[in-house]
Amino acid sequence: MDISLTPEEWDAVRLSNKVATVAMIASLPAAIAIAWLLARKEFWGKSLLNGLVHLPLVLPPVVTGYLLLLTFGTKGTIGAFLAQFGIIFAFRWTGAALACAVMGFPLMVRAIRLSIEAVDTRLEAASATLGANAAWVFLTITLPLTLPGIIAGMILCFAKAMGEFGATITFVSNIPGETQTLPSAIYGYTQVPDGDANALRLTLVAIAISLSALVASELFARRVGQRVAE
């Protein structure tokens, strides 16, 4: 089997990494905020918020993609407004990043929330008694101790984004060079005669990228955890 990639396949690889990276970074601030809210606060509607955050995990991905199309499409409630300013998500790579961010967001929130809940609240209380405000306590105590969980959540989001297919193809279709990510390219090859070899080649590439990210994150999380423990 020829393992060399065609220019179109390289485009799909680069786009997948670009989409997954943007989805991961864009999700991080909101994920940290919501994870802290769910871990540390009690309020009316907490269960509802938790349910909404994790809804993409239980909904069929095609349903999520269709809801994104209804909301952020050029004729959608939010999409039509954003289109006036030249911000368009439907059938663009930015839409693929949005779809991947939505699908990976619950995994990131859950990992960060569990990490925050593992932080001893007595450490936060001791810092507060010394005069530190809530923001400073979070930045100097909670956030550093939560770093391994944040890294784990980021990598889970990245891996989910790399493999996302249903929501992406429903929202932004499968346009070579614009929205065709690795899963979409693999799917395309499975739909044509004699495409199995090409599909297998891209599958191996996807496995290599995802495995490398997981191994790197594990090593980095261990290093951060050791520094925090010191």
Side-chain angles (χ1 to χ4, degrees):
M1 181 182 68
D2 184 10
I3 60 174
S4 59
L5 302 182
T6 66
E8 292 76 15
E9 291 169 348
W10 276 117
D11 285 341
V13 172
R14 283 190 290 265
L15 182 62
S16 288
N17 280 283
K18 180 180 179 180
V19 164
T21 301
V22 170
M24 176 184 68
I25 294 174
S27 300
L28 185 58
I32 292 175
I34 292 179
W36 178 83
L37 195 63
L38 292 174
R40 286 289 187 259
K41 297 296 181 181
E42 294 295 332
F43 54 91
W44 183 89
K46 179 178 179 178
S47 296
L48 178 60
L49 175 61
N50 186 60
L52 289 174
V53 167
H54 291 87
L55 192 59
L57 290 180
V58 295
L59 278 179
V62 173
V63 173
T64 302
Y66 183 62
L67 291 175
L68 287 172
L69 187 61
L70 291 179
T71 306
F72 291 95
T74 53
K75 296 183 180 179
T77 51
I78 298 177
F81 173 75
L82 294 177
Q84 300 177 27
F85 305 96
I87 303 174
I88 299 175
F89 288 102
F91 309 110
R92 302 283 180 86
W93 77 266
T94 50
L98 175 61
C100 290
V102 170
M103 296 301 295
F105 189 73
L107 298 175
M108 185 183 289
V109 169
R110 180 166 180 78
I112 298 174
R113 178 185 179 180
L114 291 175
S115 188
I116 292 176
E117 289 175 342
V119 175
D120 192 343
T121 55
R122 291 175 297 181
L123 295 175
E124 298 172 330
S127 182
T129 58
L130 296 176
N133 58 37
W136 188 248
V137 170
F138 176 78
L139 291 174
T140 59
I141 303 297
T142 311
L143 191 61
L145 294 175
T146 310
L147 274 180
I150 292 175
I151 295 170
M154 291 174 67
I155 298 304
L156 284 173
C157 182
F158 180 87
K160 177 64 175 176
M162 282 292 297
E164 179 51 41
F165 173 71
T168 303
I169 200 169
T170 305
F171 184 33
V172 297
S173 190
N174 185 13
I175 306 171
E178 179 63 36
T179 65
Q180 188 178 70
T181 57
L182 266 176
S184 300
I186 293 170
Y187 173 77
Y189 278 132
T190 63
Q191 303 304 301
V192 299
D194 302 322
D196 290 346
N198 293 332
L200 178 58
R201 182 169 63 241
L202 288 184
T203 298
L204 294 176
V205 171
I207 292 173
I209 293 174
S210 299
L211 186 60
S212 297
L214 290 172
V215 171
S217 69
E218 177 69 18
L219 294 175
F220 190 60
R222 284 184 182 180
R223 183 170 298 180
V224 171
Q226 291 172 353
R227 290 185 177 180
V228 170
E230 292 173 357

